Amino acid sequence: MKVVAIANQKGGVGKTTTALNLSAALALRGQRVLLVDLDPQANCTSGLGIEPPDGCSMYPVLLGDTTVAQQILPTGRENLSLLPSEMDLAGVEIELARSDDHLTRLRNILQALKPNDLFEYCILDTPPSLGVLMTSALAAADEILIPLQCEYFALEGLSKIVHVIEQIRASGANPGLQIGGILMTMFMRNNLAQQVINEVQSHFGDVIYKTVVPRTVRLS
Ligand code: ADP
Ligand code: MG
């Protein structure tokens, strides 16, 4: 099972849209996918049209009160399962911050899923912050996919996230964390967007995906 965190501490850059569509596309290709909604705003969950039962999220799993298997829901789509979120998940930030192993709990939970081969991909949708949920996702991931809006301020956010990735590696929690790629989103044909892409390319080269996601009302 390959764990991919869709992360960028900025909001509204296309994380959830990417997590949903990438998961659905992999599932359509016949890959068994577990989509984990780690954002208390639960947009992945509602985006799949799912209203989870009360208390169904990663929250009790992270606190050791239940198993991950008990929180996984079918989505009505072949090969695609969801570990949903709800507003209460926000409480994890406070509860886990107190514990010494908060960075590695999610990692250990997901590592335990790897041997049983139930899923080929685990896609993590993360909240727009640098809190416990987001850093836990980075500690748990084999690779990070960074959606980046084709806007100037996006560049400042990018250096910040690269710094966090280096910190996670250095902490020893996840020395093998790779940048899978930077995905340019909401592209419009204008000079600014092209300049931003060129700028990212000059710093990161091949790490930027060739596919650029256009701004289109069909996605929103
Ligand atoms: P994040 O999860 O990073 O906050 P979202 O995926 O929720 O970002 O996207 C923010 C908003 O922009 C949503 O309303 C979404 O529908 C819309 N959106 C995302 N990607 C595109 C796109 N390529 N074109 C047009 N609208 C988009
Ligand atoms: Mg989101």
Side-chain angles (χ1 to χ4, degrees), residues 133-212:
L133 285 163
M134 195 277 212
T135 48
S136 294
L138 293 190
D142 297 305
E143 61 180 61
I144 169 174
L145 186 160
I146 308 172
L148 201 71
Q149 234 180 316
C150 298
E151 300 279 354
Y152 178 75
F153 289 133
L155 295 170
E156 292 174 11
L158 186 57
S159 49
K160 178 98 194 164
I161 198 163
V162 168
H163 182 62
V164 175
I165 292 168
E166 280 160 6
Q167 281 179 322
I168 297 276
R169 285 189 191 130
S171 75
N174 188 1
L177 177 60
Q178 298 286 331
I179 299 183
I182 297 168
L183 178 67
M184 303 308 297
T185 64
M186 303 189 208
F187 176 79
M188 286 196 292
R189 279 191 190 287
N190 59 44
N191 286 341
L192 173 66
Q194 198 53 57
Q195 274 170 23
V196 172
I197 291 179
N198 293 347
E199 190 75 11
V200 176
Q201 229 148 16
S202 71
H203 286 288
F204 293 91
D206 285 348
V207 174
I208 180 165
Y209 286 110
K210 290 194 187 75
T211 299
V212 170

Side-chain angles (χ1 to χ4, degrees), residues 41-62:
Q41 291 183 64
N43 293 146
C44 261
T45 303
S46 61
L48 279 165
I50 289 175
E51 256 187 63
D54 275 353
C56 189
S57 74
M58 202 44 116
Y59 187 52
V61 186
L62 285 166

Side-chain angles (χ1 to χ4, degrees), residues 6-21 39 41 43-44 125-128 147 149 184-187 212-220:
I6 315 291
N8 183 334
Q9 75 282 2
K10 276 177 85 76
V13 298
K15 287 184 294 297
T16 299
T17 304
T18 303
L20 277 169
N21 285 282
D39 186 349
Q41 291 183 64
N43 293 146
C44 261
D125 186 30
T126 64
Q149 234 180 316
M184 303 308 297
T185 64
M186 303 189 208
F187 176 79
V212 170
V213 181
R215 182 181 284 278
T216 157
V217 76
R218 287 182 69 197
L219 277 173
S220 56

Side-chain angles (χ1 to χ4, degrees), residues 1-5 110 114 121-124 137 140-144:
M1 183 178 81
K2 183 168 183 171
V3 182
V4 181
L110 296 180
K114 285 194 171 182
Y121 281 93
C122 174
I123 308 290
L124 307 173
D142 297 305
E143 61 180 61
I144 169 174

Side-chain angles (χ1 to χ4, degrees), residues 68-95:
V68 72
Q70 280 176 304
Q71 307 298 88
I72 295 174
L73 302 176
T75 63
R77 285 166 186 268
E78 210 178 338
N79 299 320
L80 182 57
S81 300
L82 175 76
L83 206 158
S85 176
E86 55 174 12
M87 214 48 191
D88 288 356
L89 186 61
V92 157
E93 297 278 343
I94 300 151
E95 296 252 4

